[in-house]
């Protein structure tokens, strides 16, 4: 057992929507005591998305606190292959999620931050800890790093960016209380 805080491995989805809503700084605040990383395949997804989604440039240009980790060890590539067989279709969709899960699985104590339901179901029987974005934000509220009004505003902005979250505009606090997360 190590005393180091866990590393967080971020997926393209949360990064993209936090960037679009201009809330990347909140992720930095929430994760400031942790190693934060993305697999190289997520960086490539972000880079390829910039021509159609210019807000993604901020993910590459304004996040020196995020470490890019190449997936190049045998264990990483084996884990990636496992997830790719379950998640990646002919269009190549979900390759980023596979990279996040592979990196989290092969990094001791790491936590994958993924909101995709299918991807989170693919970890059954695998040694991966997954945290959803809203759960992470609720933990930050309980830790005194964020406030309910701030996260409510953030959630409303994520909704405007078309991020799929389980409530409508203004519904964060009621949802979080109903879930027992506050």
């Amino acid at each position: 057992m190590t005393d180091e805080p866990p590393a967080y491995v971020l997926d393209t989805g949360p990064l993209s929507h936090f960037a679009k809503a201009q809330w990347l700084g909140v992720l930095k605040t929430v994760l400031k005591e942790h190693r934060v990383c993305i697999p190289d395949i997520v960086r490539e997804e972000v880079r390829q998305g910039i021509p159609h989604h210019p807000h993604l440039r901020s993910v590459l240009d304004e996040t020196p606190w995020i470490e890019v980790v190449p997936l190049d060890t045998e264990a990483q590539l084996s884990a990636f292959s496992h997830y790719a067989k379950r998640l990646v279709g002919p269009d190549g969709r979900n390759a980023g999620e596979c990279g996040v899960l592979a990196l989290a699985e092969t990094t001791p104590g790491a936590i994958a931050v993924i909101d995709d339901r299918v991807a989170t179901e693919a970890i059954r029987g695998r040694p991966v800890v997954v945290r959803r974005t809203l759960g992470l934000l609720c933990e930050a509220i309980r830790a005194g790093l964020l406030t309910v009004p701030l996260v409510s505003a953030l959630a409303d902005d994520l909704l405007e960016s078309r991020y799929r979250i389980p409530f409508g505009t203004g519904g964060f606090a009621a949802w979080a209380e109903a879930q027992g997360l506050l």
Side-chain angles (χ1 to χ4, degrees), residues 5-178:
Y8 282 85
V9 183
L10 304 179
D11 189 24
T12 308
L15 284 171
S16 174
H17 287 274
F18 273 70
K20 186 173 184 179
Q22 300 181 4
W23 287 98
L24 279 173
V26 169
L27 281 178
K28 181 180 179 183
T29 297
V30 169
L31 300 173
K32 68 182 177 186
E33 302 297 327
H34 303 270
R35 176 181 176 210
V36 181
C37 44
I38 58 174
D40 50 357
I41 194 165
V42 165
R43 179 186 58 197
E44 192 55 33
E45 281 184 349
V46 169
R47 187 184 323 256
Q48 289 178 0
I50 289 173
H52 300 290
H53 308 284
H55 64 273
L56 291 174
R57 178 159 299 289
S58 65
V59 173
L60 299 180
D61 294 348
E62 300 170 17
T63 58
W65 46 277
I66 297 176
E67 175 187 356
V68 178
V69 178
L71 296 178
D72 57 7
T73 70
E74 186 175 323
Q76 291 168 333
L77 295 174
S78 175
F80 182 87
S81 176
H82 169 82
Y83 293 115
K85 288 175 186 168
R86 285 152 183 80
L87 297 172
V88 177
D91 62 355
R93 189 179 169 107
N94 294 328
E97 284 87 348
C98 296
V100 169
L101 293 172
L103 183 57
E105 182 175 312
T106 56
T107 303
I111 298 170
V113 179
I114 288 185
D115 289 321
D116 183 280
R117 181 185 52 78
V118 175
T120 57
E121 290 174 357
I123 66 166
R124 285 194 186 124
R126 304 291 288 193
V128 178
V129 176
V130 170
R131 180 84 21 96
R132 293 182 184 266
T133 304
L134 291 173
L136 194 64
L137 295 172
C138 288
E139 284 179 14
I141 291 171
R142 291 193 306 271
L145 295 172
L146 304 176
T147 64
V148 171
L150 185 137
V151 174
S152 292
L154 189 160
D156 288 349
D157 286 350
L158 291 177
L159 281 166
E160 284 186 28
S161 78
R162 305 183 68 126
Y163 203 52
R164 284 188 263 167
I165 50 181
F167 48 82
T169 301
F172 169 75
W175 172 85
E177 287 186 28

